[in-house]
Amino acid sequence: MTAPRRNERSRRAILTAALELLTETGYPDLTVEAIAARAGVGKQTIYRWWRGKGAVILEAMVDSVPPNAVLPDTGDLRADLRTVIRATVAEFADPRLSATTRAITIETLSDEALAEQVRDQLLRPQLAAVKDRLRAGQATGQARDGIDLDLTVELLFGPIYHRWLLRNGPLTEGYADELVDLAMTAITP
Amino acid sequence: MTAPRRNERSRRAILTAALELLTETGYPDLTVEAIAARAGVGKQTIYRWWRGKGAVILEAMVDSVPPNAVLPDTGDLRADLRTVIRATVAEFADPRLSATTRAITIETLSDEALAEQVRDQLLRPQLAAVKDRLRAGQATGQARDGIDLDLTVELLFGPIYHRWLLRNGPLTEGYADELVDLAMTAITP
């Protein structure tokens, strides 16, 4: 047996429809039927290629991430971290992107296999890019040698998740900069 | 019209049944029917008092939190933060407690009103207790005066959420201590 061959035009139509509908209806009311109707394909086409709506949304997100993410390296670690943390805060503050993140988070909390995919395909590459930038910062003496890079990455991104999950404060550029400054105090030699 | 009067014995039976079933079946498969059967009440009794399973679980959690949470104050800020962060990490590592947190997180991501209840009734009091302890640490010169206390609380708890959500590393006592040490470096005068 061979895996069902995908038609690239249908695939793109399905992923686009899924992201559009997600913004319009929110994740709980999103259905595979509606995605199929919007994309102009049969429901069975979607179920042949994906396990369900969570898997469709995940593939749409992976598709929209540029491969081999690399952080800017201007030589100024604080400035480069501000750039990436500002962008991340802006994503969580944006209603459309936040809806997608919300959807994926709900799915990954309910589905261990999907959680693994999200972590490995979507998040690890992004977090690895930040770790690479921190490592370069260690080489130029802008970050301490002894720090745990995994923990440092969590120190930068964890607070944003926390504020977003708990809707506990504004997600602004000022917040992003304050967060980077506090984290930099922790890791500067 | 008056609100339906609750029978305290039924209420306790329902909350206990809900937490038990949550551990046994996980949140997606948890049903109001099963809670009612386990508690020995009619399904309508539950729907008369709560909007759905998310609201039942939330009340069970609020019920299990001691009122007026206060952090220990031994005079040593680092030691006291280690105590609370170790306890939090242990909660996220515990399968039963983690299942409950997972359930509540899924519900709050889907339901704005419930998110508000969780934030105000469950989380704010706990985070406020940590802020009080940090304020006492400022008074004794163990924490900088200028720090944003909301952000500092996020710096302590955000990484734990991040690691738990992404299942990205072990949730151990050593991790808790390392996290507190890094955060202390950021806030020590």
Side-chain angles (χ1 to χ4, degrees):
Chain A
M1 267 185 66
T2 56
R5 211 158 51 89
R6 294 182 179 193
N7 173 300
E8 180 58 20
R9 202 158 73 157
S10 298
R11 194 185 76 94
R12 293 256 22 112
I14 290 163
L15 298 184
T16 302
L19 288 182
E20 282 174 10
L21 284 165
L22 182 67
T23 314
E24 292 167 24
T25 67
Y27 191 76
D29 294 328
L30 181 69
T31 63
V32 168
E33 284 83 351
I35 298 172
R38 172 78 58 103
V41 303
K43 199 173 115 176
Q44 286 318 313
T45 300
I46 296 183
Y47 281 118
R48 198 156 54 230
W49 295 339
W50 293 279
R51 268 175 311 153
K53 63 179 182 177
V56 178
I57 293 291
L58 171 63
E59 185 160 329
M61 289 187 72
V62 170
D63 243 45
S64 69
V65 170
N68 305 318
V70 174
L71 244 60
D73 188 346
T74 65
D76 180 342
L77 180 60
R78 183 186 306 263
D80 293 346
L81 289 178
R82 280 189 174 198
T83 301
V84 68
I85 294 301
R86 281 182 181 185
T88 304
V89 167
E91 272 176 33
F92 279 95
D94 178 275
R96 187 195 161 98
L97 293 169
S98 171
T100 308
T101 306
R102 178 168 296 122
I104 291 289
T105 306
I106 291 173
E107 282 295 315
T108 55
L109 283 166
S110 321
D111 182 337
E112 190 110 16
L114 191 68
E116 218 169 285
Q117 272 184 279
V118 169
R119 192 185 54 212
D120 294 346
Q121 293 172 32
L122 200 60
L123 294 164
R124 278 249 163 94
Q126 297 176 39
L127 300 179
V130 178
K131 282 169 68 175
D132 285 344
R133 183 62 191 89
L134 287 166
R135 221 173 269 116
Q138 288 177 318
T140 56
Q142 292 175 76
R144 279 191 287 134
D145 271 335
I147 55 171
D148 179 324
L149 294 182
D150 287 310
L151 182 54
T152 305
V153 165
E154 289 169 345
L155 208 69
L156 286 162
F157 290 92
I160 306 171
Y161 273 73
H162 194 264
R163 179 164 289 214
W164 171 76
L165 271 177
L166 275 49
R167 306 166 203 240
N168 219 359
L171 289 162
T172 59
E173 204 167 272
Y175 171 71
D177 291 350
E178 212 185 346
L179 170 56
V180 170
D181 286 349
L182 202 55
M184 280 299 295
T185 306
I187 66 168
T188 301
Chain B
M1 264 184 68
T2 55
R5 212 158 53 86
R6 295 184 179 192
N7 174 299
E8 180 59 20
R9 202 158 73 159
S10 297
R11 193 185 76 95
R12 293 257 20 114
I14 290 162
L15 298 184
T16 303
L19 287 183
E20 282 174 10
L21 284 165
L22 182 66
T23 315
E24 292 167 23
T25 67
Y27 192 75
D29 294 330
L30 181 70
T31 63
V32 168
E33 284 82 352
I35 298 172
R38 171 79 57 104
V41 303
K43 198 173 116 176
Q44 285 318 310
T45 301
I46 296 182
Y47 280 119
R48 200 155 54 232
W49 295 338
W50 293 277
R51 268 175 310 155
K53 63 180 183 177
V56 177
I57 293 290
L58 171 63
E59 185 161 328
M61 291 187 73
V62 169
D63 242 47
S64 69
V65 170
N68 304 317
V70 175
L71 245 60
D73 188 346
T74 65
D76 180 343
L77 180 60
R78 182 186 306 262
D80 293 346
L81 290 179
R82 280 190 174 197
T83 302
V84 68
I85 293 301
R86 280 182 182 185
T88 304
V89 167
E91 273 176 33
F92 279 94
D94 178 276
R96 186 195 162 98
L97 293 169
S98 172
T100 308
T101 306
R102 178 169 294 124
I104 290 289
T105 305
I106 290 174
E107 282 296 313
T108 57
L109 282 166
S110 320
D111 182 337
E112 190 110 15
L114 191 68
E116 218 170 283
Q117 272 184 280
V118 169
R119 191 184 56 212
D120 295 344
Q121 292 172 33
L122 200 61
L123 295 164
R124 277 248 164 95
Q126 298 177 37
L127 300 180
V130 178
K131 281 169 69 175
D132 285 343
R133 183 63 192 87
L134 288 166
R135 222 174 267 117
Q138 288 177 318
T140 56
Q142 293 174 76
R144 279 191 286 134
D145 272 334
I147 55 170
D148 179 324
L149 294 181
D150 287 310
L151 182 54
T152 305
V153 166
E154 288 169 346
L155 208 68
L156 286 162
F157 290 91
I160 306 171
Y161 273 72
H162 194 264
R163 180 165 287 215
W164 172 74
L165 272 177
L166 275 49
R167 306 166 203 240
N168 219 358
L171 288 162
T172 58
E173 204 167 271
Y175 171 70
D177 292 350
E178 211 186 346
L179 170 55
V180 169
D181 286 349
L182 201 55
M184 280 299 295
T185 307
I187 66 167
T188 301

